[in-house]
Amino acid sequence: MTTENNNKKKTLRVGMIGYKFMGKAHSNAYRAMPMFFSDAPLQPEMAVLCGRNAAGAEEARVQFGWQELETDWRQVVARDDIDLIDINTPSDAHLEIAVEAARSGKHILCEKPLALTLADSRTMLRAAEEAGVKHMTGFNYRFSPAVKLAKKLVEEGRLGKVHHFRARFLQDWLVDPEFPLVWRLKKEIAGSGAQSDLGAHLVDLARYLVGEFEEVIGMTETFVKERPLPSEEGGQSGKDGTDQVQRGPVTVDDAAVFMARFVDGALGSFEASRSAPGHRSTNAFEINGSKGSLRFDFERMNELEVYFTDDAEDVQGFRRVLCTDEAHAYSEAWWPPGHTIGFEHTFTHEVLEFISAIAEDRQPSPSFVDGVKCQEVLEAVERSIEERRWVNLSEMAESGS
Amino acid sequence: MTTENNNKKKTLRVGMIGYKFMGKAHSNAYRAMPMFFSDAPLQPEMAVLCGRNAAGAEEARVQFGWQELETDWRQVVARDDIDLIDINTPSDAHLEIAVEAARSGKHILCEKPLALTLADSRTMLRAAEEAGVKHMTGFNYRFSPAVKLAKKLVEEGRLGKVHHFRARFLQDWLVDPEFPLVWRLKKEIAGSGAQSDLGAHLVDLARYLVGEFEEVIGMTETFVKERPLPSEEGGQSGKDGTDQVQRGPVTVDDAAVFMARFVDGALGSFEASRSAPGHRSTNAFEINGSKGSLRFDFERMNELEVYFTDDAEDVQGFRRVLCTDEAHAYSEAWWPPGHTIGFEHTFTHEVLEFISAIAEDRQPSPSFVDGVKCQEVLEAVERSIEERRWVNLSEMAESGS
Amino acid sequence: MTTENNNKKKTLRVGMIGYKFMGKAHSNAYRAMPMFFSDAPLQPEMAVLCGRNAAGAEEARVQFGWQELETDWRQVVARDDIDLIDINTPSDAHLEIAVEAARSGKHILCEKPLALTLADSRTMLRAAEEAGVKHMTGFNYRFSPAVKLAKKLVEEGRLGKVHHFRARFLQDWLVDPEFPLVWRLKKEIAGSGAQSDLGAHLVDLARYLVGEFEEVIGMTETFVKERPLPSEEGGQSGKDGTDQVQRGPVTVDDAAVFMARFVDGALGSFEASRSAPGHRSTNAFEINGSKGSLRFDFERMNELEVYFTDDAEDVQGFRRVLCTDEAHAYSEAWWPPGHTIGFEHTFTHEVLEFISAIAEDRQPSPSFVDGVKCQEVLEAVERSIEERRWVNLSEMAESGS
Amino acid sequence: MTTENNNKKKTLRVGMIGYKFMGKAHSNAYRAMPMFFSDAPLQPEMAVLCGRNAAGAEEARVQFGWQELETDWRQVVARDDIDLIDINTPSDAHLEIAVEAARSGKHILCEKPLALTLADSRTMLRAAEEAGVKHMTGFNYRFSPAVKLAKKLVEEGRLGKVHHFRARFLQDWLVDPEFPLVWRLKKEIAGSGAQSDLGAHLVDLARYLVGEFEEVIGMTETFVKERPLPSEEGGQSGKDGTDQVQRGPVTVDDAAVFMARFVDGALGSFEASRSAPGHRSTNAFEINGSKGSLRFDFERMNELEVYFTDDAEDVQGFRRVLCTDEAHAYSEAWWPPGHTIGFEHTFTHEVLEFISAIAEDRQPSPSFVDGVKCQEVLEAVERSIEERRWVNLSEMAESGS
């Protein structure tokens, strides 16, 4: 009564280049899709993971569950048994890989920003179009159920004509002036700072929800202009035997603010910063239209706040909609209404506790003892209701039950 | 350069009984653990899934990724190659399975409530203890990072002596009087209503965070006393050819309220209801101690609100702590600070869109076109900063770049 | 063209007994009413203030604006030119004053709790009824615009049948164990603790919004059982020359929790505490009915949160209603929509600053200089729009304008 | 034992020009100051109210409590017995009155915006300076206790160096395209739209909290370009006997967005709109500094949210500070901690109910009956505690007490 694989479903063999933060997020997505979206017409097969560092990549391969390992992306792109190339490398490698993948007839999923320059991104698009392959840019925030609801409300005209779009993506990891001068803070490697890293998501959300931009103007600032060199560059510990920390110039922006006018007449205001204390990663926006408003904050990704001008006069107000109902995108695949995205993690941590306890030869917490004690309280409450009196837990002692 | 499996890690072979809501949640946990907690000393192996309905269970087996299928739980429990039995059946089957699993020397993870009665749960505990196996009850809410932080703050004495614990678990699916008389609303099958289903979680959280109960008293109510029979029982459509909907009596509670006194002197107040509009699944509690307070609401599972009496006088107030920092439980396994639990789902949905687009032979959204257009805006902003002027997007047209 | 008084309006001459916290709140009400509710058919005249301590009472009389002073309440009650007696004394004096006022044919406004015992309160009611005077108990929270909206929604049936009422009134001034043993903590003087002081408001709100109680059961606790005696009683400083602080027993409750069943079938849960850190004075409640829910927290007195089960499926959620619209009680008397209750205080503080500056012979802040500088920025923005360019504030220098 | 006035305090005689929205707010301030800030070195005396419309102004005089009436502001300004001129007229009259008042040696409080143009505002400032009088511009939001706390935190360096100031003042009364073309929407009368009306407050708060502006750039938009003429201008009802509504052009902005760079290096982003549904009057800002952040929303004027980077690692988060403690500005003058600004209004409305009831010859609600019934519940709870059992309210019936 055993079958190792389900061969009935058509699959798409994926080759993934890069295995760090985004590689982990994408791997998880390929693992989760067959389980939660088993009705999809096609399912991914985690065929090849590619990373230049063989040891690190092999560790990731095992951890993430890819079938094979490659260390040269050209090998992956060239393989006949690969259908889709997923690019998670640093941005400067996107162009070459994507163009080559397109030429090899592979579908391409590429992380944002698509390329270091507009010209490069156009080259990539042209290559994909000429090859006739499918191409996608990784603007993942579009796929929050609450953002999907926002899109639906705008498209159905339930907010009327859009007047305002205001958005901000705020982080705070650069507030500490002793945070070292990592490569992300060097223009020659990273291209730019908060604006392209965080601002790119805001621009995409604006286009997705409001439409095309007409004109823009902005400003940027680097609040901490010099930072300690990382120790490997002779910084921190002080190569020369002195205690002096060596510092180097920060060449990208810490923060950017810009305004925009949209083709359809709306006004946009945008802000991206890595120097906003208290904001670990606040990606938030608000739309005001002629018939209503909505707002979203990724820190509370299950929620969308919505306001309608035609609500009854005495009960007008922003509604906090928990986007876990059947009426909301993706909800059927996950959990019952009210069980927010993330609910499933409690079970993962629970299983971790149990399996760790077994490995360490101890009882986990909560054990059956906790199950019994919970039952004692519940039955004591039940008895208190039946007998209309206070019940002491000592009455539930074993002999008494 | 290929290896199909990672044979280095010691594994624990799991047999799971039941495959509905909880079965899905547990399966996801076993799938996720090796990827996110790869350093655990032992890893689960999804060996056997067991369900009485062969067709339904096989579908689940494939979807969830279990190696083999069984339709008789006794077969699973008897197998020598199984280390851990995971019980997700309706509550009335817990007792027999758990006792048998214990006798077979298997470790046992059993969903809550542990059993239909206190006596049964004690029998289960005794069986597990006599067999010397590890046993766990599925109180999953303990494993939210924010609840772990609450536990830490209480244990470290940072709230002082606990005075108050007030908790409520509110749902609203029974508010509609036309919701049918499903089995969960019949005492003979379900045992009880909101109190054991929702109240059990509150009782466990109270014991976990505050300690043992001293005495209790409660009350319950059934607001809708008769409901339409489900159509298969001659309800809804009207077996007798008339339009008359047949109704039957609801024999469990819709809601329960109870008070408690804890051994250590704290006062507890509890409320469980399935008739509270606007609350899809609000599991929330607050603790007040002699040196501070904290509160939690599972609808915002990433957050814990905390108050300390010794904060500076002019800035005392509840802090909203986003439990995604390195200082918080489990955070290292997931995403960078501020990227809440649930962040990963945006990628799953993104991959779903891409693979669906490929299957349907269309471009996904966002495609490379969106990547290029985002880049146009970013470079226009950049140009506006360099040249200190408004930049129209038409300037970024292909010829102009 | 001068008239000192407006003699056209019929007035009601008030005699107020007591001038502390509640006396101040009531005085302010009598001062505010003619200004904000000038259309009322009758207006109060602040005739006589009465306090036993002549010096303190005279200071209050001047500060609050009462015409005359008395030190014996019997004198006030006996006067023919007084229509209404307002009782703000400690609770133990209510009975005698109210009965006497009734016998003298005066209308009576009495602070809550009405009396120290139920029997006394009944005596007061009987006296007022026999005298045929108007009588009012000071449950002021009923008169929040948001509570009025709650009442309206319940009465109009927009929440359906009420299932749950849960309320709490939490304070934190007794958390510090070194807070002295003031008279409010002695049973012989105060009668009881949090329960009658705070719980009384919750009971009244429950009756106002949900209806009569059927049955109740409760519990109380005193967390800090001994406290330092106030210095005048030989405490704190240590009469005996030693550093030892003398302590005495606290004889009232710090906190109370109780449950109730209402005549109409709703379940009630109540909590009153003076030992809940972070809660300076949280008077909050929630109602769940068969068609919707609402909740209120006096810390945000301008807001009512409301939920309706019949909202469109994809946008169901609690609405935050700011109760300052024309559709809301009292709003016309105050400020335009969105200008919350409290808006007016900014002007009071502004006038304080100006008058203080004049007294101290300095310019206030903000002076005309700030007005000019604000104008500079506004005109610079205007110029930037007209000329589509950045405008430096130096361009707005006096010669340049 | 009577004294009609308190002649001990030195007073300042005020003449107020204008009696509409701002006139009402200022009058209330002069009435409130002696009661709540009785220790101020000088107190205002409400000497003369001035309005061109004699009937309307006389009604306001009586309602607000001014001693005398004038209909020509020049008469007021010329009087020797007036110390302070308070200007609440439409903006176009500010210049002439202020200059004349200065020449007459009067102190001047003038509403914002100070004048229609920068040049005019400078003329006013010069006149006041030459006359050596005290002058104040009515930026009232500075005087919220929470804004005072924000100022204190910035000044004490507790937020470090300021990086970001982002502010918005949003209203929604112009969203309805059928809202008529009132004078405020005509450039020739109002000067400008949202920018000067709402934006002016944001500019002043920015200067108050962050410092001087270096450079700015902005944009504006008028979303509804034509509106129905008010009926008195032949609009609405249709002068010509047809049903056709006549419309005219809106000549001011509905919304404005602008960016700024501050002298000290901070980046500012600003937004003012009267077309943002759901925002009746949202005046909100956030400051991010190198050591912390704070944010304020006038809709919740009692609160300031504050974040510090040096909080313990596991409990970092924005604190919601209720600015009603002794440590906060003005709090001593008002109510005990937790009793927010606005608390006093509940009593005003309560007194209104009582006095209306007397005028209408009915019992008010809540009457003594409610006081007695509340007592019944409290004593029933008390009995339930003593006797450790449920107590039915019928036991508290008169015979049973």
Side-chain angles (χ1 to χ4, degrees), chain A residues 32-39 330-336 343-345 347-348 351, chain B residues 16-32 46 49-50 59-61 63-66 86-89 111 345:
Chain A
M33 196 186 140
M35 171 153 176
F36 291 99
F37 298 93
S38 58
D39 292 341
Y330 310 118
S331 68
E332 250 172 283
W334 298 103
W335 315 109
F343 169 66
E344 66 279 6
H345 289 219
F347 295 95
T348 304
V351 160
Chain B
M16 190 170 90
I17 324 291
Y19 59 90
K20 295 299 176 85
F21 177 20
M22 280 301 110
K24 184 175 172 185
H26 286 226
S27 295
N28 177 67
Y30 293 121
R31 285 168 71 104
M46 297 172 75
L49 178 68
C50 177
E59 195 179 349
R61 185 196 68 76
Q63 184 180 349
F64 300 166
W66 293 85
D86 184 326
I87 307 175
N88 292 299
T89 63
E111 257 308 312
H345 289 220

Side-chain angles (χ1 to χ4, degrees), chain D residues 284-301:
Chain D
F285 62 79
E286 175 165 345
I287 295 175
N288 306 121
S290 60
K291 293 166 67 178
S293 295
L294 60 80
R295 50 192 183 205
F296 173 76
D297 181 344
F298 193 75
E299 285 189 1
R300 291 172 169 171
M301 72 171 284

Side-chain angles (χ1 to χ4, degrees), chain C residues 34-202:
Chain C
M35 168 153 177
F36 292 98
F37 298 93
S38 57
D39 292 341
L42 207 53
Q43 290 289 350
E45 204 181 320
M46 297 173 73
V48 185
L49 177 69
C50 176
R52 280 176 300 182
N53 176 325
E58 170 60 15
E59 193 179 353
R61 187 197 67 76
V62 172
Q63 182 181 350
F64 300 165
W66 293 87
Q67 296 167 6
E68 301 179 37
L69 181 73
E70 292 279 2
T71 53
D72 177 1
W73 65 261
R74 290 175 195 279
Q75 297 292 333
V76 184
V77 168
R79 283 172 63 151
D80 283 342
D81 64 343
I82 295 297
D83 304 305
L84 189 165
I85 296 293
D86 184 327
I87 308 175
N88 293 297
T89 62
S91 309
D92 59 355
H94 290 185
L95 174 67
E96 204 180 12
I97 301 174
V99 168
E100 194 61 32
R103 282 181 191 151
S104 307
K106 306 291 191 287
H107 303 301
I108 311 165
L109 169 51
C110 183
E111 257 308 314
K112 48 75 29 190
L114 199 47
L116 284 186
T117 68
L118 173 56
D120 285 358
S121 72
R122 281 182 173 138
T123 304
M124 289 166 67
L125 171 59
R126 256 192 310 261
E129 285 178 342
E130 283 164 11
V133 299
K134 305 292 183 271
H135 43 85
M136 187 179 214
T137 310
F139 293 118
N140 63 299
Y141 290 101
R142 288 193 184 197
F143 298 96
S144 309
V147 174
K148 285 283 167 204
L149 176 58
K151 174 74 172 171
K152 180 177 174 235
L153 294 173
V154 171
E155 277 191 344
E156 292 177 2
R158 288 157 78 183
L159 298 190
K161 186 164 165 27
V162 174
H163 292 159
H164 290 282
F165 181 79
R166 76 185 62 83
R168 53 186 188 281
F169 203 143
L170 305 177
Q171 299 184 337
D172 59 4
W173 54 286
L174 286 186
V175 157
D176 179 0
E178 297 307 310
F179 188 94
L181 188 65
V182 296
W183 68 265
R184 282 177 182 279
L185 305 181
K186 298 179 180 182
K187 191 181 177 63
E188 65 274 24
I189 310 178
S192 89
Q195 171 68 348
S196 70
D197 184 21
L198 309 179
H201 281 298
L202 301 182

Side-chain angles (χ1 to χ4, degrees), chain D residues 236-282:
Chain D
Q236 298 294 35
S237 55
K239 238 183 192 166
D240 53 3
T242 72
D243 280 350
Q244 198 114 34
V245 173
Q246 294 188 35
R247 292 170 187 273
V250 177
T251 47
V252 301
D253 58 285
D254 284 344
V257 182
F258 69 100
M259 303 189 296
R261 204 177 277 272
F262 289 86
V263 169
D264 283 349
L267 306 183
S269 77
F270 297 82
E271 206 161 347
S273 177
R274 292 159 169 174
S275 293
H279 296 278
R280 292 297 188 269
S281 198
T282 302

